[in-house]
Every structure is written in structure tokens, then in C-alpha cells.
């Protein structure tokens, strides 16, 4: 080691001996320092513990609050979902209701279109009956007296055997006979019979509503000449079955006896429309001779409303209990003679019909212009 090197040496001071007073004091001082340091560390630990407890309490409170907020958010979310579901269900029901209303409106529109088409067909048909010549007779009347439709009753009245129908010209005579009820009829040769007078009751139409429509398969042919019916029907069927005449296969060809017109029914639909648009057709009904017929639409109808009432014939009396004691014509003449006499309570007779026992006869009742009935 060189002499000029500088170095220092830390010399450990010798500790006083524990057996000396100074050593004991020094040891006590050291223990005091350690104790104070331990106390200070204990205080710091207590402060740290309290801070940790406070922090833990705050975390617990915050956790409770967060849990409560989370539950509240869940409830609100659930309620929101339920509200949205309710709105969705309501919208679905509303949609179903709207679709139903749309369907009803569409059905109503279809019905209106059908009615419109029906009315258009009725409008296009200027007439479905043959032309009839009319003449002014010098009579006048109010517009309210006009009738757009008139139905003439035709009632078939089945008569029992041993009865007779008498129609007087005056209803007062019929009432007198009915008031007598039981009548003695003198047939001559000391022959008398007792008959009973009863009123005649008929079921009459009070209200009739008919729904009509133009038949797509039928036409009405009028303005026909007088000729053999079978020949006429054959000629018409031959003419209107040909395509060149605008016709087609004919199903039926019928004569309407009440009007003298012919109804032609085709197998296919909508042929009738083309024929009625032309209206007048040249048809060879006789050999090498053409005749102009008129073709109009055929209206078919059905009764939609019918109301009836029982009506008593004011001028007709029914006699019952008439025995078969002589020939029919003879007995009918004697009965008519008896009730023709005013001395027997009778009067002028308009119609008389007798039906013997064991036979079947039907009387036809029709309305007349005076509003009374006739057989």
C-alpha cells in the first residue's frame, strides 16, 4: 500500500455494555424508538383500515344502488316490451279489422257493380214484350192513376161434387141469398130439394214483388205471321241456329199462347245479346218469302215477396148439398131458373156452374174491369 493513498476508515464505535448503566439507557432508548415507530405504524394501519372500511361501505352502497337501478331498468324495459307488444297486437287487430272492412267494401262494390250492370241491362232493354197498337179513346186521367205493372188474377177453384156456383149481376142479390142460408128449391113435379148457401172465399194476392233480369240465353220473337204453329217453330229454330245469322245451337223453341210470341232458348250464353242488338231480322218463314220478325230480350223473373189475403167474392154464392136426382143439364137449368126469379130472392144471373156428385170440376175466377169476379 502506497503511503500517498488517501482512504478513510469508519471505525465502529464500541457499544456500551448492557451491564453498564449507559448500556442499559441506550438499550431503553432503542426500545423507545422501536415502540414509537410501532405505535406510528399502528396508527397508520388504523387509518388505512378505516379508509378501506369507508371505501368498502361506499362500494357496497354503490353496488346496492347499481343493483336497484338495474332492477328498475329491467322493469322499465319489461314494461316497454309489454307496451310494444300491446301496441303490436292492437295494430294487428286494427289491420284485421281494416282488411275485413276493405273486404266488405269490395263486396259492397261488387254488389253495386252487379246492380249497376243489372240496371244497365234493364236500361238497354227498351222493351221485352211485343209491340201493341194503342189508340187514344178521349179519356183523361191524372199521372198518379198510371200503373207501371198490372197483374190479372186467374184463380182455379176446385169444386166438390153436389155443389154449384152462381154469380149474380148485383152483389145485393148474392147477400140476400147468403142471408137465407138454407133454401128450398122447387124443381117441379112435386120435387123439392134443400140446399145451403155459402160465401166463396178466395186467396188473393195483396202484394207481389218480382225481381227481373235479362236472360242471356233466351230471346223473345214477335211480329209473327199467322201460320201453322209447328211449321213456324221449325222455321225459326232453323234460322236462328245458324252462325251466319248470329245464332247458335237451339235448346228449346216454345210458343207463348197468351201473347202469340215465341221464346227461343240457346245452349250457349250471350248469343241472345247479339241478336237483340239487331232487333229486326229477315226470316224465311214461307217458301221463298221472307218476313221481318222482331227480336227483343227475354225478361225472366222470380217472386221475391208475396203477400196474400182471403177475399170474399161479393157476387158469387156457393150452393152445397145438391143431390143427383136427374140429368146434369136439366138440374142445372132448373136451379138457374129458380135463382133467376126475384120471388125466390134471386135476380139476374151472370154465370152458373153445377158439378154433380162423383165428378171433378174446377171454376176459373178472373178479375174484370169493374173489380168483380167471373167464372
Amino acid at each position: 500500500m502506497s503511503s500517498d493513498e488517501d482512504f478513510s476508515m469508519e471505525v465502529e464505535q464500541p457499544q456500551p455494555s448492557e451491564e453498564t448503566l449507559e448500556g442499559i439507557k441506550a438499550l431503553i432508548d432503542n426500545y423507545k424508538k422501536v415502540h414509537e415507530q410501532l405505535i406510528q405504524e399502528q396508527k397508520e394501519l388504523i387509518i388505512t383500515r378505516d379508509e378501506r372500511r369507508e371505501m368498502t361501505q361506499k362500494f357496497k352502497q354503490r353496488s346496492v344502488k347499481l343493483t336497484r337501478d338495474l332492477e328498475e331498468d329491467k322493469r322499465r324495459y319489461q314494461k316497454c316490451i309489454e307496451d310494444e307488444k300491446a301496441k303490436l297486437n292492437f295494430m294487428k287487430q286494427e289491420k284485421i279489422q281494416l282488411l275485413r272492412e276493405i273486404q266488405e267494401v269490395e263486396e259492397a262494390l261488387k254488389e253495386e257493380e252487379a246492380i249497376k250492370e243489372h240496371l244497365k241491362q234493364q236500361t238497354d232493354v227498351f222493351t221485352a214484350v211485343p209491340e201493341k197498337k194503342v189508340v187514344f179513346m178521349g179519356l183523361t186521367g191524372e199521372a198518379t192513376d198510371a200503373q207501371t205493372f198490372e197483374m190479372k188474377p186467374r184463380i182455379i177453384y176446385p169444386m166438390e161434387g153436389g155443389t154449384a156456383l152462381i154469380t149474380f149481376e148485383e152483389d145485393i142479390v148474392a147477400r140476400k141469398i147468403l142471408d137465407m142460408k138454407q133454401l128450398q128449391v122447387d124443381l117441379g113435379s112435386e120435387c123439392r130439394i134443400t140446399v145451403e148457401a155459402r160465401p166463396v172465399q178466395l186467396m188473393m194476392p195483396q202484394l207481389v214483388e218480382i225481381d227481373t233480369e235479362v236472360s242471356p240465353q233466351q230471346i223473345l220473337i214477335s211480329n209473327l205471321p199467322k201460320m201453322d204453329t209447328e211449321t213456324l217453330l221449325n222455321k225459326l229454330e232453323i234460322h236462328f241456329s245458324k252462325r251466319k245469322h248470329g245464332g247458335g245451337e237451339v235448346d228449346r223453341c216454345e210458343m207463348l199462347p197468351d201473347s202469340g210470341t215465341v221464346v227461343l232458348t240457346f245452349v250457349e250464353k250471350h248469343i241472345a245479346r247479339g241478336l237483340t242488338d239487331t232487333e229486326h231480322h229477315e226470316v224465311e218463314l214461307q217458301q221463298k218469302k221472307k218476313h221481318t220478325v222482331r227480336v227483343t230480350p227475354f225478361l225472366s223473373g222470380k217472386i221475391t215477396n208475396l203477400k196474400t189475403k182471403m177475399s170474399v167474392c161479393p157476387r158469387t154464392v156457393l150452393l152445397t148439398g145438391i143431390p143427383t136426382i136427374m140429368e146434369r143439364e136439366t138440374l142445372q137449368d132448373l136451379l138457374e131458373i129458380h135463382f133467376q126469379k126475384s120471388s125466390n130472392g134471386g135476380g139476374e144471373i151472370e154465370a152458373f156452374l153445377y158439378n154433380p156428385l162423383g165428378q171433378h170440376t174446377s171454376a176459373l175466377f178472373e178479375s174484370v174491369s169493374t173489380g168483380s169476379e167471373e167464372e
Side-chain angles (χ1 to χ4, degrees), residues 24 45 85 95 119 176 180 282 298 313 341:
I24 294 171
L45 288 173
K85 285 183 178 180
K95 179 182 178 181
L119 293 176
K176 284 167 56 178
M180 295 179 188
E282 296 286 335
F298 183 79
C313 298
K341 296 178 180 179

Side-chain angles (χ1 to χ4, degrees), residues 126 129-131 219-227 231-233 235-237 239-240 245 253 255 260-264 266 275-286 289-297:
F126 48 89
V129 296
E131 291 182 347
I219 58 174
L220 188 70
I221 307 174
S222 59
N223 192 31
L224 300 170
K226 292 183 179 180
M227 56 184 297
T231 303
L232 175 64
L233 295 178
K235 292 289 186 180
L236 290 173
E237 182 173 351
H239 178 86
F240 288 104
H245 296 150
C253 187
M255 171 71 76
T261 57
V262 172
V263 177
L264 206 64
F266 295 98
L275 293 173
T276 55
D277 287 343
T278 306
E279 186 181 357
H280 293 97
H281 295 257
E282 296 286 335
V283 182
E284 186 177 337
L285 298 177
Q286 297 174 349
K289 186 177 181 182
K290 291 188 176 181
H291 182 83
T292 302
V293 299
R294 185 165 179 259
V295 177
T296 53

Side-chain angles (χ1 to χ4, degrees), residues 346-363:
E348 290 295 328
I349 294 176
E350 184 175 312
F352 191 98
L353 180 62
Y354 164 60
N355 182 40
L357 288 169
Q359 297 192 21
H360 299 282
T361 302
S362 296

Side-chain angles (χ1 to χ4, degrees), residues 185-193 325-326 330 334 341:
V185 180
D186 188 1
L187 301 178
S189 302
E190 298 182 354
C191 179
R192 294 190 176 198
I193 60 173
I325 56 176
M326 58 184 68
T330 304
L334 292 175
K341 296 178 180 179

Side-chain angles (χ1 to χ4, degrees), residues 16-30:
S17 177
E18 294 180 358
E19 297 178 356
T20 64
L21 180 60
E22 287 79 5
I24 294 171
K25 286 182 180 180
L27 186 61
I28 291 172
D29 290 338
N30 288 334

